[in-house]
């Protein structure tokens, strides 16, 4: 598929995945039958060999429900370019695979997160009040991608190559970030790879070249391994850790 040419004013996606939680996410799907909103998530979806450009975002979600996760989303061999926001904006994706893609002139290439603001009004209780468990083991892979030129700025909290964001109460764990190639990472406070409130990450065999700040940073992230990466031509730090323990 080729998807391009968005002329709206909001941060919308070319491909949108969301949870059937209410008429906000899926307007008029069930008319007045609120019982139809059953918190169904997206599962077993593959997108490959496609091109997305001239959009805010490539692929992403806006909403999350406690204990509900999109699962087994595979994004491979695609070309994302000239996007003002994120190439992939993955909100609580379990078993996500992002492999063999090229990101060129995007605000930020890949953002995988469980919570992105302190006031997280997009994180709702399950319909019917059912108690669902929170996971920390996300079993994700981000590998063999090319990320060339990010355009996001510090004020936008953007400009990174790959960003993994959890929170103190929803830690994001077990993501493998391997064999990616980064160059021209723009944000003056940004990094090619940034993780916050993460655990058990493997960051290995990545090549990072030319960043306005640093190569790899961990913040409040524990039990991670940073192995066999090449980091050169960075304006500040190669590897920077803050409030992070038991890392290799």
């Amino acid at each position: 598929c080729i998807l391009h040419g968005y002329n709206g004013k909001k941060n919308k996606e070319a491909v949108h995945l969301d949870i059937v939680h209410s008429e906000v996410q899926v307007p008029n799907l069930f008319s007045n039958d609120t019982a139809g909103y059953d918190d169904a998530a997206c599962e077993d979806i593959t997108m490959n060999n496609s091109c997305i450009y001239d959009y805010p975002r490539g692929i992403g979600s806006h909403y999350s429900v406690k204990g509900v996760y999109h699962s087994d989303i595979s994004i491979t061999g695609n070309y994302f370019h000239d996007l003002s926001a994120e190439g992939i904006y993955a909100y609580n994706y379990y078993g996500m695979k992002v492999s063999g893609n090229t990101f060129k002139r995007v605000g930020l290439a890949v953002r995988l997160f469980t919570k992105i603001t302190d006031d997280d009004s997009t994180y709702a209780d399950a319909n019917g009040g059912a108690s669902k468990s929170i996971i920390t083991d996300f079993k994700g892979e981000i590998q063999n991608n090319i990320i060339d030129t990010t355009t996001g700025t510090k004020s936008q909290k953007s400009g990174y190559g790959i960003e993994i964001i959890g929170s103190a109460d929803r830690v994001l764990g077990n993501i493998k970030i391997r064999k990616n190639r980064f160059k021209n990472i723009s944000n003056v406070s940004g990094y090619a790879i940034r993780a916050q409130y993460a655990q058990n990450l493997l960051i290995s065999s990545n090549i990072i070249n030319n960043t306005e700040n640093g190569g790899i940073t961990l913040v409040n992230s524990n039990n991670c391994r940073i192995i066999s990466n090449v980091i050169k031509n960075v304006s500040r730090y190669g590897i920077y850790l803050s409030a992070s323990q038991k890392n290799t």
Side-chain angles (χ1 to χ4, degrees):
C1 299
I2 299 174
L3 300 98
H4 67 96
Y6 173 75
N7 59 11
K9 295 182 179 180
K10 295 184 178 180
N11 273 354
K12 296 295 185 179
E13 296 79 15
V15 178
H16 181 86
L17 309 178
D18 230 326
I19 293 174
V20 186
H21 182 71
S22 75
E23 62 181 5
V24 174
Q25 293 76 47
V26 279
N28 303 316
L29 183 61
F30 297 105
S31 298
N32 295 321
D33 179 14
T34 57
Y37 296 104
D38 60 357
D39 291 335
C42 295
E43 300 178 354
D44 300 319
I45 292 174
T46 297
M47 181 172 179
N48 64 357
N49 299 330
S50 295
C51 179
I52 299 176
Y53 64 96
D54 194 17
Y55 253 86
R57 291 182 179 138
I59 300 171
S61 308
H62 287 272
Y63 208 78
S64 183
V65 172
K66 183 178 181 181
V68 178
Y69 302 89
H70 302 298
S71 63
D72 300 315
I73 309 298
S74 180
I75 304 168
T76 61
N78 303 286
Y79 182 28
F80 301 86
H81 70 92
D82 296 288
L83 305 176
S84 58
E86 299 85 359
I88 298 172
Y89 190 73
Y91 195 177
N92 278 320
Y93 285 25
Y94 170 85
M96 181 181 78
K97 294 182 180 180
V98 177
S99 179
N101 303 283
T102 296
F103 302 86
K104 190 173 180 67
R105 295 183 302 275
V106 297
L108 184 155
V110 181
R111 174 177 275 153
L112 173 60
F113 62 104
T114 62
K115 184 177 182 180
I116 201 164
T117 63
D118 292 332
D119 178 19
D120 199 349
S121 59
T122 60
Y123 189 77
D125 289 329
N127 278 318
S131 177
K132 298 187 178 182
S133 61
I134 302 299
I135 68 171
T136 58
D137 186 356
F138 281 80
K139 293 183 170 65
E141 297 179 0
I142 306 172
Q143 59 187 13
N144 295 310
N145 301 284
I146 296 172
I147 299 170
D148 179 359
T149 308
T150 60
T151 59
T153 64
K154 180 179 179 180
S155 63
Q156 295 170 321
K157 298 181 179 180
S158 185
Y160 307 101
I162 295 171
E163 190 174 34
I164 308 297
I165 307 178
S167 66
D169 57 330
R170 297 204 295 278
V171 174
L172 205 166
N174 192 7
I175 306 296
K176 296 176 181 178
I177 304 171
R178 301 181 294 189
K179 299 181 179 180
N180 302 285
R181 299 176 69 93
F182 303 81
K183 66 177 181 179
N184 304 327
I185 304 302
S186 69
N187 186 340
V188 294
S189 66
Y191 290 78
I193 300 171
R194 176 179 183 263
Q196 181 174 353
Y197 287 108
Q199 66 183 21
N200 300 320
L201 303 182
L202 172 61
I203 302 173
S204 70
S205 302
N206 300 283
I207 298 176
I208 297 168
N209 183 16
N210 190 25
T211 72
E212 289 296 319
N213 187 16
I216 298 169
T217 185
L218 304 181
V219 181
N220 296 110
S221 297
N222 305 322
N223 297 302
C224 301
R225 292 178 293 157
I226 301 175
I227 299 172
S228 299
N229 301 280
V230 175
I231 302 171
K232 57 185 179 179
N233 299 323
V234 296
S235 297
R236 297 183 72 195
Y237 309 105
I239 298 172
Y240 180 90
L241 277 68
S242 174
S244 298
Q245 301 178 5
K246 298 181 179 179
N247 295 290
T248 300

